[in-house]
Amino acid sequence: MTTDYMYITKCCEGQNFGQGQLSRYGNIELSPSAGVLNYGQGLFEGTKAYRKENGGLLLFRPEENAIRMKIGAERMCMASPSIDNFVDALKQTVLANKRWVPPPGKGSLYLRPLLLGTGPVLGLAPAPQYTFLIFASPVRNYFKEGSAPLNLYVEENFDRASSRGTGNVKTISNYAPVLMAQIQAKKRGFSDVLYLDSATKKNLEEVSSCNIFIAKGKCISTPATNGTILSGITRKSVIEIARDHGYQVEERVVNVDELIEADEVFCTGTAVGVAPVGSITYQDKRMEYITGSGTICQELNNTISGIQTGTIEDKKGWIVEVD
């Protein structure tokens, strides 16, 4: 759903982004030889604005998105906005579209920052100009199942990322390649695809657009971000919250066979929040997991959602008020 305004600023290679401006949401003009169109030189981020009961607007750890974009831009040989410029641009975009932020408990305003190589380049090289843009859309649940448990399929024929590639940065070129496996899985009734490492096909990596956790007793495990896995901001926050709640959290290699013994499995991400997994199918074997009331997943989701929406006190300095 389109909103009223978007934020946009440009800079040339070797320069710094300055203050951008808000303009009415609409199409942008690109040269056919733009770097992003020809060579996929682009990054995106995703974060949300939430409305408090008193009408105030909140952002959750926006500086982490800014840092991740800078890391990605360095990997993709791109200019990037400063952390302060990034966060200020988010605030401007939220305020300009504040009428689109849903009421408390009804959703959030999803914010999509884009960093694009928009300058013309025919030979393979970094673009001579870059555009930083943010648009927004009100959203509810990411998956069509809503808050119902997800049913995942372990993919063995396609890889999401490979060692020493770009799996650990949020480049646009990481996402279209997952569509074929995702579409095939959805045709078979699954919610999404769980990928394995490309080297051994024995270790869990991540779902198409979110991180994965498994829980056994008081121990929670998630694949370590070893260069092929995106370092999710929700992932990072959930790990900290879980440790605060007394859980042992391990970031390590997680073998696919550990799915057999797990009590719970859940996914994390800006779009999905903390989403329970009801089943995973691997080599035609379906494994089912505990979901619903009293689960670790629900406990962690309630806590992070409460912090994000202002109903639980933020003792970590994660919340940024928009005013």
Side-chain angles (χ1 to χ4, degrees), residues 241-272:
I241 291 169
R243 286 174 174 156
D244 290 346
H245 285 210
Y247 294 100
Q248 177 186 347
V249 183
E250 299 176 343
E251 298 179 72
R252 58 176 178 83
V253 173
V254 180
N255 191 278
V256 65
D257 291 334
E258 295 184 52
L259 293 173
I260 299 170
E261 300 298 326
D263 298 326
E264 289 184 50
V265 178
F266 52 90
C267 298
T268 64
T270 297
V272 305

Side-chain angles (χ1 to χ4, degrees), residues 221-234:
S221 301
T222 189
T225 52
N226 57 3
T228 58
I229 297 170
L230 187 70
S231 181
I233 295 159
T234 308

Side-chain angles (χ1 to χ4, degrees), residues 169-216:
V169 296
K170 210 166 175 64
T171 171
I172 60 174
S173 53
N174 284 346
Y175 290 83
V178 308
L179 294 177
M180 179 176 287
Q182 188 182 63
I183 289 169
Q184 290 178 359
K186 288 184 176 182
K187 283 181 179 179
R188 297 175 58 191
F190 297 104
S191 310
D192 212 330
V193 170
L194 173 57
Y195 287 92
L196 302 175
D197 72 294
S198 62
T200 70
K201 308 298 286 184
K202 290 295 183 184
N203 303 314
L204 303 185
E205 293 235 310
E206 60 179 279
V207 183
S208 301
S209 59
C210 47
N211 297 114
I212 191 86
F213 287 75
I214 69 171
K216 179 71 174 177

Side-chain angles (χ1 to χ4, degrees), residues 13 66 99 118 126 135 149 154 275 317 319-320:
E13 186 181 15
R99 74 185 185 96
T118 47
F135 68 94
V154 177
I319 292 299
V320 173

Side-chain angles (χ1 to χ4, degrees), residues 29-301:
E29 187 173 289
L30 288 177
S31 165
S33 57
V36 66
L37 297 180
N38 289 268
Y39 304 118
Q41 195 184 26
L43 297 161
F44 75 89
E45 276 296 328
T47 188
K48 290 177 177 178
Y50 303 87
R51 190 180 295 278
K52 295 169 64 176
E53 290 290 347
N54 66 4
L57 302 175
L58 305 175
L59 290 168
F60 182 73
R61 308 189 78 175
E63 72 288 345
E64 292 290 336
N65 296 91
I67 292 168
R68 189 167 65 181
M69 178 167 274
K70 287 188 74 67
I71 293 169
E74 182 177 345
R75 174 66 177 85
M76 301 297 285
C77 302
M78 305 172 72
S80 63
S82 69
I83 294 172
D84 288 344
N85 282 354
F86 184 101
V87 174
D88 182 65
L90 283 175
K91 290 180 177 180
Q92 290 188 49
T93 308
V94 172
L95 287 174
N97 296 293
K98 62 183 179 182
R99 74 185 185 96
W100 292 98
V101 184
K106 299 295 184 181
S108 56
L109 184 70
Y110 184 82
L111 297 153
R112 172 55 64 84
L114 293 170
L115 184 61
L116 308 173
T118 47
V121 55
L122 186 58
L124 181 58
Q129 185 185 67
Y130 296 93
T131 298
F132 175 57
L133 181 153
I134 305 175
F135 68 94
S137 175
V139 295
R140 291 196 72 178
N141 287 309
Y142 178 75
F143 288 105
K144 70 175 184 178
E145 291 88 347
S147 58
L150 306 176
N151 299 302
L152 302 180
Y153 175 77
V154 177
E155 178 57 56
E156 296 183 272
N157 295 320
F158 297 99
D159 297 327
R160 178 193 164 273
S162 60
S163 179
R164 295 179 292 278
T166 59
N168 64 327
V169 296
K170 210 166 175 64
T171 171
I172 60 174
S173 53
N174 284 346
Y175 290 83
V178 308
L179 294 177
M180 179 176 287
Q182 188 182 63
I183 289 169
Q184 290 178 359
K186 288 184 176 182
K187 283 181 179 179
R188 297 175 58 191
F190 297 104
S191 310
D192 212 330
V193 170
L194 173 57
Y195 287 92
L196 302 175
D197 72 294
S198 62
T200 70
K201 308 298 286 184
K202 290 295 183 184
N203 303 314
L204 303 185
E205 293 235 310
E206 60 179 279
V207 183
S208 301
S209 59
C210 47
N211 297 114
I212 191 86
F213 287 75
I214 69 171
K216 179 71 174 177
K218 295 287 286 184
C219 182
I220 301 171
S221 301
T222 189
T225 52
N226 57 3
T228 58
I229 297 170
L230 187 70
S231 181
I233 295 159
T234 308
R235 173 190 181 276
K236 181 178 181 179
S237 305
V238 162
I239 288 171
E240 192 167 333
I241 291 169
R243 286 174 174 156
D244 290 346
H245 285 210
Y247 294 100
Q248 177 186 347
V249 183
E250 299 176 343
E251 298 179 72
R252 58 176 178 83
V253 173
V254 180
N255 191 278
V256 65
D257 291 334
E258 295 184 52
L259 293 173
I260 299 170
E261 300 298 326
D263 298 326
E264 289 184 50
V265 178
F266 52 90
C267 298
T268 64
T270 297
V272 305
V274 185
V277 175
S279 75
I280 297 178
T281 299
Y282 173 54
Q283 295 182 343
D284 296 324
K285 181 178 180 180
R286 178 184 169 101
M287 295 158 283
E288 297 188 347
Y289 306 102
I290 302 167
T291 61
S293 179
T295 58
I296 297 171
C297 174
Q298 185 184 62
E299 178 185 350
L300 298 177
N301 184 59

